[in-house]
Amino acid sequence: MQTVTGHPETTEALSQAEVARIKADFEILEHQVNGTELIYLDSGATSQKPRCVYEAEQHYYENANSAVHRGAHTLAVEATDIFEQARETVAKFIGARSNELVWTSNATEALNLISYSLSNASLGRGGESSARFRIGAGDEILVTEIEHHANLIPWQELAFRTGATLRYVPVDEHGALRYELLDELINEKTKLVAFTHVSNVLGTITDVARFVTAARKVGALTVLDGCQSVPHMPVDVKALDVDFMAFSGHKMLGPTGIGGLYGRAELLDAMPPFLTGGSMITVVDMEHAEFLPSPQRFEAGTQRIAQVHGLATAASYLDEIGMDRIAAWEEHLGAMLFEGLSKLEGVRVFGPSGIKRIGTVPFEVIGVHPHDVGQFLDSRGIAVRVGHHCAQPLHRALGVSATTRASTYLYNTEQDVTALIEAVASVREYFGV
Ligand SMILES: Cc1ncc(COP(=O)(O)O)c(C=O)c1O
């Protein structure tokens, strides 16, 4: 198979027979919606879960349910083992060491954790050991115009709390990042650069090395939003050389309510906490508290043990299939979507052409509101996303307020993509446009 980029593929994509076997692990995909078999093309929002993930959660509740790190009894020890084993599994999945993975509710919380920790440092919390995280008036924080609101608003708020200035890398008319501006935008004033690995709207893949090289030159911290990359391609935080990376479990076959923050150990250990309370301290008196090193320093309160276990099960499931093979399959589906939709009359597909992308493609059926497109597709059993996909600035730059987005995962077939393209082809006629 050729890839979208036209280069011969180095990794063999999943075969159609393998995809069929994978699909059978997802009970929900057997559902009928509006009298027809469900075609789920909304994995960019949240993925479906294989049976082994919710069975793992059930098994935990039936056999080991207990609070971790606190009890001397057998169940507490078992629960702690499961919890910490899961940390090792998921850390390995992203190329990190286990003390460099902090559990959070989702990517949103992970990004807010960094933002609030840095403003606490800026208030003087953490003393001299956290002085390098201080940000103030005259400093700059850099984001990009393609960010999900989760990787934009926490930095707007950090700028507000510290007096720093927020700047951004703009896109061109196709939504491609204007890398040529990086050398001017990343300068001696830049303290932090936050950018997405994969656009949740366009499916485009960021050139991480260009950001990291420019940030390193001026000593700025790098924060990668891995929400749409970790589920869909091999991701190794050490090879990418970023300081932090946020991701969400529910987008990578895991349960809702669990996500992670990778951070270099030496950074996490020097940063002041975000949430405070039980389980993250060494000594407490009535006036002050001392904090455990990372990751416990950032895991205040009773943890999401079943969800952590479910996420580790999901990571192992993906690992067994092979992230490189999943990526190759989705690149193929993404190319089918982009090319198939682009050929339709009255349909505008967004995003640069001739590039490598994951299986995420946004489009507009000219003259029909995206919500109507979504409802029409739903009447044919096809689930897609409509709206601004939590990326209003990018939509504004593309000149639209909303789009319809189809997004694939490892359980989608070529037939799913063909069914979508055929259905989209009849939207305008249905609405009399
Ligand atoms: C690129 C990107 N970043 C961040 C998020 C936020 O993820 P969550 O809502 O799971 O925190 C999403 C979710 O759609 C996303 O696609």
Side-chain angles (χ1 to χ4, degrees):
M1 189 194 298
Q2 285 284 110
T3 62
V4 224
T5 52
H7 300 304
E9 215 171 52
T10 47
T11 305
E12 201 188 325
L14 301 172
S15 68
Q16 309 225 36
E18 280 172 297
V19 174
R21 277 201 295 278
I22 289 166
K23 198 171 171 181
D25 292 335
F26 294 77
E27 225 162 277
I28 199 165
L29 298 177
E30 288 162 22
H31 279 206
Q32 297 271 310
V33 169
N34 296 319
T36 167
E37 193 188 312
L38 168 65
I39 295 177
Y40 190 73
L41 288 169
D42 194 19
S43 296
T46 199
S47 68
Q48 296 302 346
K49 328 294 175 199
R51 207 171 284 109
C52 62
V53 166
Y54 45 84
E55 281 178 359
E57 284 194 85
Q58 186 175 353
H59 186 267
Y60 165 77
Y61 282 123
E62 286 175 356
N63 296 284
N65 180 47
S66 189
V68 294
H69 293 149
R70 292 187 203 163
H73 61 83
T74 304
L75 285 188
V77 172
E78 274 174 32
T80 304
D81 281 351
I82 288 172
F83 189 69
E84 291 304 332
Q85 180 54 52
R87 198 191 304 273
E88 255 175 54
T89 305
V90 178
K92 192 159 162 258
F93 186 75
I94 57 165
R97 294 201 303 267
S98 56
N99 64 334
E100 296 178 313
L101 175 61
V102 176
W103 298 123
T104 61
S105 305
N106 46 33
T108 302
E109 189 188 300
L111 294 160
N112 276 278
L113 186 163
I114 311 169
S115 165
Y116 276 95
S117 174
L118 265 49
S119 48
N120 289 342
S122 306
L123 289 170
R125 206 8 131 213
E128 273 319 291
S129 63
S130 69
R132 68 179 132 161
F133 301 110
R134 288 183 199 151
I135 293 181
D139 291 335
E140 292 181 1
I141 301 165
L142 185 71
V143 293
T144 86
E145 206 173 7
I146 64 172
E147 299 310 312
H148 186 283
H149 297 161
N151 198 29
L152 170 61
I153 304 170
W155 311 120
Q156 293 175 346
E157 292 294 299
L158 177 62
F160 174 77
R161 292 192 301 269
T162 60
T165 303
L166 186 75
R167 302 186 74 189
Y168 66 89
V169 185
V171 291
D172 68 12
E173 71 273 24
H174 302 294
L177 282 173
R178 295 190 54 199
Y179 292 101
E180 75 277 11
L181 300 176
L182 268 190
D183 284 339
E184 182 263 319
L185 286 166
I186 300 184
N187 56 57
E188 293 300 327
K189 295 184 203 152
T190 314
K191 290 287 175 277
L192 182 140
V193 183
F195 57 103
T196 195
H197 198 175
V198 171
S199 161
N200 66 306
V201 178
L202 303 168
T204 46
I205 302 165
T206 304
D207 186 344
V208 176
R210 281 185 86 160
F211 276 86
V212 171
T213 306
R216 288 257 171 276
K217 269 193 212 155
V218 297
L221 295 169
T222 49
V223 179
L224 187 67
D225 178 351
C227 238
Q228 298 289 345
S229 58
V230 175
H232 300 287
M233 61 180 66
V235 170
D236 182 325
V237 286
K238 299 292 177 190
L240 292 169
D241 200 25
V242 290
D243 294 316
F244 300 97
M245 184 182 76
F247 61 100
S248 277
H250 69 93
K251 292 186 196 286
M252 51 180 286
L253 311 184
T256 47
I258 184 68
L261 172 68
Y262 158 76
R264 287 185 201 281
E266 70 274 18
L267 296 177
L268 289 177
D269 283 341
M271 284 162 60
F274 160 41
L275 298 175
T276 53
S279 302
M280 47 80 74
I281 50 80
T282 51
V283 184
V284 181
D285 62 30
M286 287 314 294
E287 280 76 39
H288 91 299
E290 281 170 26
F291 310 122
L292 282 163
S294 177
Q296 278 77 27
R297 153 179 312 218
F298 297 106
E299 293 177 355
T302 307
Q303 291 297 297
R304 302 143 277 228
I305 309 146
Q307 290 88 333
V308 161
H309 185 41
L311 175 55
T313 309
S316 301
Y317 179 91
L318 289 168
D319 215 20
E320 208 163 294
I321 294 167
M323 288 308 296
D324 46 354
R325 302 194 63 217
I326 293 169
W329 178 244
E330 289 205 70
E331 191 181 338
H332 169 61
L333 295 182
M336 273 184 76
L337 271 172
F338 193 88
E339 282 158 24
L341 289 168
S342 298
K343 280 188 195 135
L344 299 180
E345 217 187 298
V347 173
R348 179 182 169 201
V349 178
F350 296 90
S353 56
I355 51 122
K356 195 170 161 146
R357 59 165 46 76
I358 64 163
T360 293
V361 177
F363 59 94
E364 177 190 19
V365 180
I366 293 159
V368 184
H369 194 279
H371 280 91
D372 291 333
V373 176
Q375 277 178 0
F376 172 81
L377 294 173
D378 183 57
S379 72
R380 300 196 169 195
I382 303 172
V384 293
R385 198 85 179 157
V386 295
H388 52 63
H389 321 302
C390 299
Q392 286 187 15
L394 174 58
H395 277 79
R396 213 165 283 126
L398 294 170
V400 285
S401 58
T403 52
T404 304
R405 180 189 70 182
S407 55
T408 66
Y409 210 175
L410 73 169
Y411 36 66
N412 286 116
T413 61
E414 289 179 338
Q415 289 84 338
D416 292 348
V417 171
T418 305
L420 173 88
I421 295 166
E422 281 173 8
V424 173
S426 56
V427 168
R428 277 162 60 94
E429 194 191 329
Y430 179 85
F431 286 100
V433 178

